[in-house]
Amino acid sequence: MRKKQPTKKRRPWIWILTGILVVLALVVTAAIVWGSGIYKQLDGFSKPKEESRFGQFEDNPTVATPKWEGKERVNILLLGGDARGLEKNEVPRSDSILVASFDPVTKKAHLFSVLRDTYVDIDGRGKGRINTAITLGGPQLAMKTVGDLLGLDIQYYVYTDFEGFKALIDTIGGVNFDVEKDMHYTDKADKNKYDIDLKAGYQLLDGDKALQYVRFRHDAMSDFTRTERQRNLLQAVAKELQSTWNILKMQKILQSVSPYIETNLEVSDMLKLGQLGVESHVAGTAQVPPMDMIADENVGGASVLAVKNKDNLLTFVQEKLAEDETLATPSPSPDAEGGSTNSGTTGTN
């Protein structure tokens, strides 16, 4: 259990996965892309340097982004931040971090949520919390830092703030989701604009309620359970985006989220990933580092999460990528002598 820091009050940061969720539905819309404004909206996700919130960062050849050729594993870094109260050229920490990993051969997708206080080596910057990499070198350094932690080449990133998340949810008409417990939190810092007040139960979450759900961390396990909730809601939103009704509304959806999204994905990349995304199934999700591989440490009077053994963590990631949680668990069946044998069928998703 992590100790609460008394010296600095954390903002209610939010990971937003809007961009990649849109990508997952693109293949179904391919027939209408070229005859509508969808292409133009997608192209707007990649901002020119003068319009980018990361325009002050120069490309660093020592942390060059690996190129995806289309046949090897592709990894997308999903970043979310809360830009409230920042000046024009200030970059918020990416306190919500997730990696979507796709294997084009097996058609398996895996989602990893990275704990934001993980204490890591940041290329050329020494050691620090992993969520600070983006403030030191922009998305390029964030991709390199997260990739080094997981042992993966990360080719793409998608960044947005939580206003973009709310816009997406509202435009698709909300998402039906089972809130597992009552969630309440008040914060006067924003004049109670982002208070949390959710009741347990299956319900339709609009943008504001969905934001409350993925922000909530005020329970015993704090960020550990919050990252799990975020992964679960991501899958529900992805399913909604693939519905026929939302496919027909794709241009409107893209218009609603475009102002809030930045990515290095070109439209051609999005279409290839869209094809792969719809053909793939989510084979597993995991938190990185897992609970048994982290240790609390104190650095400069602040609590951080240290990785106990880097090699063990790299092995953990590779084992997770090899798993498929959609496969049916073998069940015992009686054998000829009254014992049991394991038999089962393989499920598909």
Side-chain angles (χ1 to χ4, degrees), residues 21 25 32 63 68 71 87 94 102 181 197 259 267 275 279 294 308 314 322 330 340:
L21 296 178
I32 60 174
V63 292
W68 183 49
K71 296 182 180 180
E87 299 298 328
S94 52
F102 295 88
K181 63 181 180 180
D197 185 18
V267 177
Q275 175 80 33
E279 291 177 350
I294 57 178
K308 290 181 179 179
L314 296 178
S340 65

Side-chain angles (χ1 to χ4, degrees), residues 66-74 155-156 272:
K67 183 176 177 58
W68 183 49
E69 302 294 345
K71 296 182 180 180
E72 72 278 18
R73 177 176 295 280
V74 58
Q155 295 90 346
Y156 302 109
K272 286 192 297 184

Side-chain angles (χ1 to χ4, degrees), residues 24 73 99-112 231-232 234-235 276-286 317-328 346-349:
L24 292 177
R73 177 176 295 280
V99 173
S101 182
F102 295 88
D103 187 331
V105 176
T106 64
K107 300 297 190 293
K108 292 192 297 186
H110 289 80
L111 301 174
F112 296 96
R231 295 194 303 270
N232 292 338
L234 165 62
Q235 295 181 68
L276 176 59
V278 173
E279 291 177 350
S280 301
H281 65 279
V282 178
T285 68
V317 171
Q318 290 302 313
E319 289 175 347
K320 285 297 178 182
L321 290 174
E323 292 179 358
D324 190 341
E325 296 174 0
T326 66
L327 298 180
T346 299
T348 59
N349 191 358

Side-chain angles (χ1 to χ4, degrees), residues 4-303:
K4 189 175 181 180
Q5 298 181 36
T7 57
K8 184 177 179 181
K9 187 174 182 180
R10 296 171 185 255
R11 294 184 178 186
W13 301 91
I14 176 64
W15 100 177
I16 311 297
L17 308 172
T18 310
I20 193 59
L21 296 178
V22 173
V23 167
L24 292 177
L26 288 180
V27 67
V28 194
T29 67
I32 60 174
V33 165
W34 308 106
S36 69
I38 292 179
Y39 185 98
K40 182 178 180 180
Q41 295 298 329
L42 292 174
D43 195 42
F45 285 3
S46 183
K47 304 290 192 293
K49 193 174 185 67
E50 60 273 15
E51 296 179 13
S52 171
R53 56 170 56 85
F54 308 114
Q56 69 270 40
F57 298 112
E58 299 295 333
D59 288 342
N60 185 346
T62 65
V63 292
T65 304
K67 183 176 177 58
W68 183 49
E69 302 294 345
K71 296 182 180 180
E72 72 278 18
R73 177 176 295 280
V74 58
N75 303 293
I76 305 100
L77 177 64
L78 310 167
L79 303 168
D82 175 4
R84 294 172 297 160
L86 297 183
E87 299 298 328
K88 182 179 179 180
N89 291 324
E90 288 184 307
V91 177
R93 295 179 179 182
S94 52
D95 286 65
S96 295
I97 307 167
L98 191 141
V99 173
S101 182
F102 295 88
D103 187 331
V105 176
T106 64
K107 300 297 190 293
K108 292 192 297 186
H110 289 80
L111 301 174
F112 296 96
S113 49
V114 181
L115 293 171
R116 62 187 184 178
D117 286 337
T118 306
Y119 199 60
V120 297
D121 292 313
I122 302 176
D123 193 273
R125 303 288 185 151
K127 295 184 73 69
R129 286 189 176 92
I130 199 166
N131 64 351
T132 64
I134 196 169
T135 69
L136 299 172
Q140 188 184 37
L141 185 57
M143 287 190 290
K144 177 70 164 58
T145 304
V146 176
D148 287 346
L149 177 69
L150 274 64
L152 299 174
D153 288 332
I154 297 182
Q155 295 90 346
Y156 302 109
Y157 79 91
V158 178
Y159 176 96
T160 189
D161 60 30
F162 60 61
E163 291 301 322
F165 178 76
K166 289 169 62 177
L168 170 68
I169 301 297
D170 285 335
T171 307
I172 67 176
V175 57
N176 289 298
F177 197 80
D178 189 11
V179 177
E180 67 271 20
K181 63 181 180 180
D182 290 350
M183 298 179 182
H184 303 286
Y185 180 73
T186 59
D187 188 355
K188 295 181 180 179
D190 290 292
K191 299 180 180 179
N192 299 102
K193 180 180 179 181
Y194 293 103
D195 285 353
I196 297 173
D197 185 18
L198 291 175
K199 295 292 185 182
Y202 188 78
Q203 58 197 278
L204 179 66
L205 300 178
D206 62 10
D208 184 61
K209 293 294 186 183
L211 179 62
Q212 292 179 35
Y213 181 77
V214 295
R215 282 180 51 219
F216 185 76
R217 62 178 180 85
H218 305 281
D219 51 16
M221 296 300 290
S222 188
D223 280 343
F224 299 107
T225 49
R226 189 181 73 149
T227 56
E228 181 180 3
R229 284 193 288 270
Q230 291 168 351
R231 295 194 303 270
N232 292 338
L233 189 70
L234 165 62
Q235 295 181 68
V237 176
K239 184 176 180 180
E240 289 291 335
L241 277 170
Q242 292 175 314
S243 71
T244 302
W245 175 242
N246 282 317
I247 290 169
L248 296 175
K249 294 196 305 179
M250 187 57 65
Q251 185 173 356
K252 182 179 180 181
I253 292 171
L254 297 179
Q255 286 175 336
S256 72
V257 301
S258 183
Y260 309 101
I261 290 178
E262 287 204 42
T263 181
N264 63 338
L265 283 161
E266 301 293 338
V267 177
S268 58
D269 299 322
M270 296 181 191
L271 294 175
K272 286 192 297 184
L273 284 170
Q275 175 80 33
L276 176 59
V278 173
E279 291 177 350
S280 301
H281 65 279
V282 178
T285 68
Q287 169 194 292
V288 178
M291 293 283 286
D292 59 351
M293 293 188 186
I294 57 178
D296 277 339
E297 286 191 5
N298 190 286
V299 177
S303 179

